[in-house]
Amino acid sequence: MRNKLSAKSVAVIGGGPAGLMAAEVLIQGGVQVDLYDAMPSVGRKFLMAGKGGMNITHSEPMDPFLSRYGARRAQIKPLLDTFGPEALREWVHNLGIATFVGTSGRVFPADMKAAPLLRAWLHRLREAGVNFHMRHRWCGWNENGALRFATPQGEHTANVDAVVLALGGGSWAQLGSDGAWVPLLAQRGIPVVPFQPANCGFDVGWSEYFSSRFAGHPVKAVTVTFTDAAGRFHHRQGDLMVTATGVEGGLIYALSALLRDEIAATGAAVIYLDLTPGKNLPRIIAEIAHPRGSRSMASHLQSRASIKGVKTGLLRELVPPSDFANPEHLAASIKSLPLRLIAPRPLDEAISSAGGVAFEALDECLMVRAMPGVFCAGEMLDWEAPTGGYLLTACFTSGRTAGLGALAHLEYGNI
Ligand SMILES: Cc1cc2nc3c(=O)[nH]c(=O)nc-3n(C[C@H](O)[C@H](O)[C@H](O)COP(=O)(O)OP(=O)(O)OC[C@H]3O[C@@H](n4cnc5c(N)ncnc54)[C@H](O)[C@@H]3O)c2cc1C
């Protein structure tokens, strides 16, 4: 393949995990690769993902793994069949980075950071011959079909044999993925599903008192239950975080697609918190009914039911004052505290975005059917998944599929 393709040149636009993976398979395939990014450096969101302990993938069996992609399971499955979580881990190891499986089944780089991995990877890509062009903002195509870039030196154009677009989703615009590419593709008739926040927090509308007192406090070891529009019951245990306006954190992100859709359909989504998952309702009733003497209700709840701090704050915020005098009512709230979510937080604050280029516009190599030689990969495609390594896995594997697809296209034309 190398000889035949060495005269061909491919542009990869977007230097996140999807674009870098496309660049890697392209350079290995023997073509000339130019990688463009609007930002002064690549991989900014990837590095941000590494700040909170990056999950690169997940160790659970393939069936539950695939279920995380929900409605897009059928489109993601063939990508993961060729380069799935195990292959990704192997690839990370080949970069000299060890991984480990956390108690949750999530797979982390040994030091939980993204920077050493990115550094090693960029070194390998440069050595292999990938040309990096930073501060090159892609602005579409000119009338001759050349790629147009805005650069600090003025407009730059590039004629290439194929292009992989890996421009990211629509959240955290300050890291580069600002979604400004949407009209550039829409003008070409490529269907793009509007972005929505995914893995996002939600507004509750706290009182001024509660917000000022508890914003930033984690609510540890609770369970959340939610019944979705189809009547399915969801039950998860973990931690959530109180924010100035509502709630966020892993427990909430895991349900965020369902909660977002429920709010869109009905105007609100009600979740139920169990503040003491280890103790059943009769036990909590008995504990609270215990005479409290001269102790305050706060110290009574702390000593009898281990409810304190932000958990007490939540009860005070959400339970009618009269229920505090009734052990059965108060215990029922402790075991099933309704929390009404009224809006997802804005797209830019979300960990990831739903929406993007519709799979129906793409072939199995992720080439835009209506624009032969143009491929798309990563979060800019219309899929979503919870946090836990599923996002990066799909970005890596789709970048690889798009890069291999571009090689096949250059070698065999439209097949
Ligand atoms: C705080 C945070 C934590 C996260 N933690 C995890 C985690 O632990 N595990 C996980 O799986 N995922 C995590 N993610 C999500 C993950 O980082 C993203 O899904 C992933 O980076 C998307 O990869 P991508 O290559 O598709 O796009 P991006 O990484 O967004 O890269 C897109 C690139 O395209 C460039 N670009 C955009 N428009 C243009 C243009 N017009 N011209 C030129 N360049 C352009 C951007 O500058 C950017 O460099 C996290 C995200 C955030 C924000």
Side-chain angles (χ1 to χ4, degrees):
M1 197 187 264
R2 186 168 287 275
N3 285 344
K4 185 170 174 196
L5 294 182
S6 60
K8 302 285 186 186
S9 99
V10 181
V12 175
I13 312 181
L20 293 172
M21 188 56 103
E24 180 151 274
V25 296
L26 284 162
I27 203 79
Q28 286 166 354
V31 296
Q32 185 188 319
V33 183
D34 288 276
L35 187 140
Y36 299 90
D37 200 293
M39 300 299 278
S41 60
V42 294
R44 291 185 170 215
K45 195 177 263 187
F46 185 63
L47 289 172
M48 178 58 77
K51 289 218 165 133
M54 182 173 64
N55 325 133
I56 197 115
T57 188
H58 202 288
S59 64
E60 69 187 352
M62 206 48 182
D63 202 50
F65 193 105
L66 278 169
S67 73
R68 310 299 172 187
Y69 299 97
R72 288 308 191 185
R73 175 190 173 120
Q75 286 78 18
I76 300 292
K77 182 177 184 303
L79 311 181
L80 293 176
D81 284 345
T82 61
F83 190 77
E86 270 305 313
L88 176 56
R89 254 186 111 178
E90 190 68 34
W91 175 87
V92 174
H93 297 162
N94 283 336
L95 276 172
I97 307 288
T99 58
F100 73 95
V101 180
T103 47
S104 59
R106 295 170 179 214
V107 177
F108 298 88
D111 59 2
M112 313 232 350
K113 294 197 168 64
L117 192 160
L118 184 63
R119 213 176 304 123
W121 193 12
L122 291 178
H123 178 72
R124 187 161 88 181
L125 291 173
R126 285 202 184 91
E127 290 279 295
V130 175
N131 299 309
F132 286 84
H133 308 271
M134 296 300 96
R135 295 191 168 92
H136 278 58
R137 169 167 288 283
W138 178 60
C139 307
W141 292 268
N142 70 13
E143 57 289 357
N144 303 318
L147 299 167
R148 292 178 52 221
F149 296 93
T151 82
Q153 288 74 42
E155 180 159 315
H156 170 80
T157 56
N159 283 295
V160 292
D161 298 298
V163 57
V164 176
L165 302 174
L167 300 161
S171 73
W172 285 67
Q174 79 270 27
L175 302 176
S177 51
D178 57 9
W181 53 267
V182 172
L184 302 176
L185 297 194
Q187 278 155 19
R188 296 268 165 158
I190 300 169
V192 181
V193 178
F195 282 131
Q196 292 191 76
N199 294 299
C200 56
F202 290 85
D203 287 339
V204 171
W206 301 126
S207 67
E208 186 61 35
Y209 172 79
F210 181 82
S211 173
S212 63
R213 181 101 175 67
F214 293 110
H217 284 235
V219 188
K220 295 206 176 245
V222 289
T223 61
V224 168
T225 53
F226 171 64
T227 306
D228 68 25
R232 283 179 306 242
F233 182 70
H234 302 268
H235 177 271
R236 283 176 181 274
Q237 188 156 352
D239 302 345
L240 60 84
M241 183 72 84
V242 169
T243 65
T245 58
V247 286
E248 63 178 23
L251 199 52
I252 298 298
Y253 299 157
L255 294 169
S256 63
L258 293 165
L259 299 173
R260 179 198 66 212
D261 293 349
E262 174 80 3
I263 292 171
T266 68
V270 181
I271 59 175
Y272 292 85
L273 304 182
D274 180 346
L275 301 179
T276 59
K279 296 180 184 126
N280 64 21
L281 182 62
R283 179 161 167 208
I284 294 291
I285 294 173
E287 294 288 359
I288 296 176
H290 210 85
R292 75 176 160 106
S294 59
R295 272 186 314 188
S296 69
M297 179 54 89
S299 64
H300 184 61
L301 285 175
Q302 177 164 355
S303 66
R304 304 298 325 180
S306 306
I307 301 263
K308 58 180 177 174
V310 64
K311 287 185 179 175
T312 312
L314 280 167
L315 291 172
R316 287 282 177 207
E317 175 78 358
L318 298 167
V319 176
S322 56
D323 282 3
F324 279 78
N326 181 325
E328 266 145 38
H329 288 186
L330 185 54
S333 294
I334 289 171
K335 292 301 290 173
S336 187
L337 183 65
L339 189 59
R340 191 166 178 272
L341 312 180
I342 53 175
R345 292 299 299 159
L347 175 62
D348 196 45
E349 289 177 22
I351 299 273
S352 61
S353 50
V357 176
F359 275 96
E360 291 66 28
L362 308 172
D363 70 10
E364 65 282 3
C365 295
L366 304 180
M367 184 172 81
V368 180
R369 291 181 202 279
M371 298 185 75
V374 177
F375 295 77
C376 299
E379 207 183 304
M380 72 180 290
L381 302 177
D382 175 30
W383 56 274
E384 65 176 311
T387 54
Y390 309 104
L391 298 166
L392 283 172
T393 306
C395 290
F396 282 117
T397 191
S398 61
R400 186 172 175 278
T401 297
L404 291 174
L407 287 175
H409 172 74
L410 293 176
E411 179 137 49
Y412 307 114
N414 278 335
I415 44 174

